[in-house]
Every structure is written in structure tokens, then in C-alpha cells.
Amino acid sequence: MSLLEKGTEQDDYVLFIHKIKTATGIDLAQYKEAQMKRRLTTLRLRHGYDSFAAFFEGMEQNKALFLDFLDRMTINVSEFWRNRNRWEVLQNTLLPSLTSHLPLKVWSAACSTGEEPYTLAMILDTAGLLSSSKIIATDIDDGALARAQQGTYLERSLKEVPEQVVKKYFIPEGLHYKIDPKLAAAVHFSKQNLLMDSFEDGFDLIVCRNVMIYFTEEAKHVLYQKFANALRPGGILFVGSTEQIFSPGEYGLEGAETFFYRKK
């Protein structure tokens, strides 16, 4: 490929980023470029588009294609009790320290298809706190939110769930499992762009896991500060197993347990 061809290809992608931000408010420039460009190039070629310009026009005309783009961009890979030992730390060590401040206000940010906020609901119900908690769950992807609200999952999503928890909170329906209606009613789903939208405040617990790894360092800095500002003093931020915050004090946070940070 010549330098001119490489330049033209990059210009095509940069213009695509600009059009997506103008049309949707989603700023792809805040994601790591190599990963995002590779992922979207694969999607574009799979649908038969030879340029990002043509791909954007196709999405304008085809809502299903746009939803496929959103699904690919946001990497909706999740499961209940993912990295189970970390959830057990939350359940057994950190949650008791939050219960002096009721009702609890809890947020699952970038909740994907709902496994994470429903895991939170299970933990809160087991502790007798579900009725005195508000669980908010947000994501940028309408398709993921629709699947979360449907609350129906394949067995593979339950592989880390303790057996007694499966029996208590899931209803078998053929090849699927339906979430307990009590849990479904306790989680309030809504659409949100983490990078662009403002956050509520006063949260006791914010869970945002396995999402930050896709953002640039600049975007991570902005989001960590926004999350810290959204916590009440003493509130907890729970991040993913590859998302350790190396300078939590920069955001007014301190380490509580591995991958958990408390607001000072």
C-alpha cells in the first residue's frame, strides 16, 4: 500500500469518527484507535462496505446495521458474578461498611446486557438490603439495554454463579434462564454516554468493570474523576480485574481492597 493510500484510508476513518460524533454524540476518538479501527474494519467488510464513508451511509439507511455497529463498538461480553472472588469481597467485606448509610444508592455503569446489575441485586437481596436500595444501570447501547430488561440468558452466562444462587434467582425456560421478577423490578435501566453525559451524585457504590480498558488514558482520567465526584464520602468504586488505578489519590480515592477504591 502506498503512503497516499494509507493517508486516504486514515482520512476515511477520521471523517467517519467525526460523522458518528455529530450524529450520535459518541466520540470514538476517546477509544484506543488501533483496537477500535480494527474491530470496525472487520464489521464494515463483513457487511460488504469498501470504505467507512459508505459504511456510514449504510447505517443511516439501515437501523439494524447501526445497532450491529453499536453492539460491536461496545463489546457486550458479560456474565453473572464475573471474577467471582471479587464479588465475594464486595459481599462479605465491603458491603457491611456501607450499610450505615441507608437507603443505598448503587450504579452499574456500562451495564451491557444486565448481568452485572442483576448480580448486584442478588447480593443486596441476600443481605436483606434490596428493598432499601436503589439500583441504577446504564449503557450506551439500546440493544444491550433491551436484552437486559428482557432478563433472559443462556446457561453460559451463569457459569460462575454459585449453585444455590442459580436455584434461588433464575427460572429455567427451555434453553434459557429467566431472572427472578423481584430482581428485574429492582433495577432501573436507562441510556447513558459515560464520556459525554453528566452523572448523578451521592452514590454509595459504583461498579464499572471491563470497560475502561478500551479508552485512551485521557478519557480514563476524565472518567475516574467523574466517578469520584459521583460518590459520596466513604462510597466505593469497583473496577475490573485489568483496570487498577495506580494513583487513586489524584481523584480523592484510596485503595479499599484489590480493584475497590473508597472516596476519602
Side-chain angles (χ1 to χ4, degrees):
M1 181 182 292
S2 68
L3 289 176
L4 179 60
E5 287 173 322
K6 287 182 179 179
T8 301
E9 180 183 283
Q10 182 64 14
D11 290 344
D12 179 44
Y13 182 68
V14 169
L15 183 58
F16 176 77
I17 288 176
H18 175 73
K19 288 180 177 179
I20 289 293
K21 184 176 181 180
T22 300
T24 69
I26 299 169
D27 188 1
L28 295 178
Q30 299 287 344
Y31 292 79
K32 293 177 181 177
E33 181 175 314
Q35 291 179 354
M36 183 58 66
K37 186 177 180 182
R38 182 171 60 250
R39 190 175 301 118
L40 295 181
T41 297
T42 299
L43 178 64
R44 168 173 66 79
L45 293 174
R46 190 176 79 221
H47 284 284
Y49 293 95
D50 60 3
S51 69
F52 280 108
F55 185 45
F56 182 81
E57 289 180 10
M59 286 195 293
E60 286 186 307
Q61 299 165 12
N62 184 340
K63 184 177 180 181
L65 179 61
F66 176 68
L67 292 176
D68 197 15
F69 155 74
L70 275 182
D71 191 55
R72 186 69 174 171
M73 186 204 77
T74 51
I75 312 124
N76 291 315
V77 177
S78 189
E79 60 191 40
F80 294 94
W81 292 74
R82 186 175 182 179
N83 305 120
R84 178 170 155 182
N85 64 325
R86 294 293 90 201
W87 288 103
E88 290 172 345
V89 168
L90 172 64
Q91 183 175 33
N92 300 322
T93 304
L94 294 173
L95 184 59
S97 72
L98 299 175
T99 56
S100 61
H101 186 273
L102 295 177
L104 291 178
K105 188 175 181 182
V106 179
W107 176 21
S108 171
C111 68
S112 185
T113 47
E115 290 89 339
E116 182 179 277
Y118 288 136
T119 299
L120 282 167
M122 294 173 204
I123 289 172
L124 290 168
D125 188 56
T126 299
L129 296 169
L130 189 62
S131 62
S132 56
S133 300
K134 179 180 181 182
I135 306 173
I136 297 168
T138 65
D139 201 272
I140 198 171
D141 185 344
D142 288 313
L145 288 169
R147 293 197 294 276
Q149 289 172 303
Q150 184 182 27
T152 302
Y153 300 91
L154 291 171
E155 186 174 2
R156 65 170 180 258
S157 297
L158 282 65
K159 64 181 182 181
E160 289 208 52
V161 184
E163 184 177 351
Q164 70 274 17
V165 175
V166 174
K167 291 179 180 178
K168 184 175 182 180
Y169 294 116
F170 292 92
I171 304 164
E173 292 187 349
L175 297 176
H176 296 82
Y177 287 81
K178 184 81 172 177
I179 199 76
D180 185 329
K182 177 175 67 173
L183 301 189
V187 181
H188 306 277
F189 292 97
S190 62
K191 186 172 182 176
Q192 183 181 50
N193 183 330
L194 291 177
L195 292 168
M196 302 294 290
D197 295 341
S198 59
F199 295 174
E200 292 186 30
D201 58 15
F203 286 101
D204 298 279
L205 173 65
I206 298 174
V207 182
C208 186
R209 308 179 71 225
N210 308 304
V211 175
M212 305 292 280
I213 55 173
Y214 300 109
F215 292 126
T216 64
E217 291 303 314
E218 293 79 9
K220 287 179 187 178
H221 173 75
V222 170
L223 282 174
Y224 285 140
Q225 191 61 67
K226 289 175 75 174
F227 283 135
N229 292 344
L231 287 168
R232 68 163 177 82
I236 296 290
L237 173 64
F238 179 15
V239 301
S241 58
T242 59
E243 298 170 327
Q244 186 173 358
I245 305 175
F246 292 103
S247 302
E250 181 179 355
Y251 309 104
L253 302 171
E254 60 185 2
E257 293 281 345
T258 305
F259 308 118
F260 292 91
Y261 300 89
R262 181 179 284 108
K263 185 171 181 177
K264 298 178 181 178

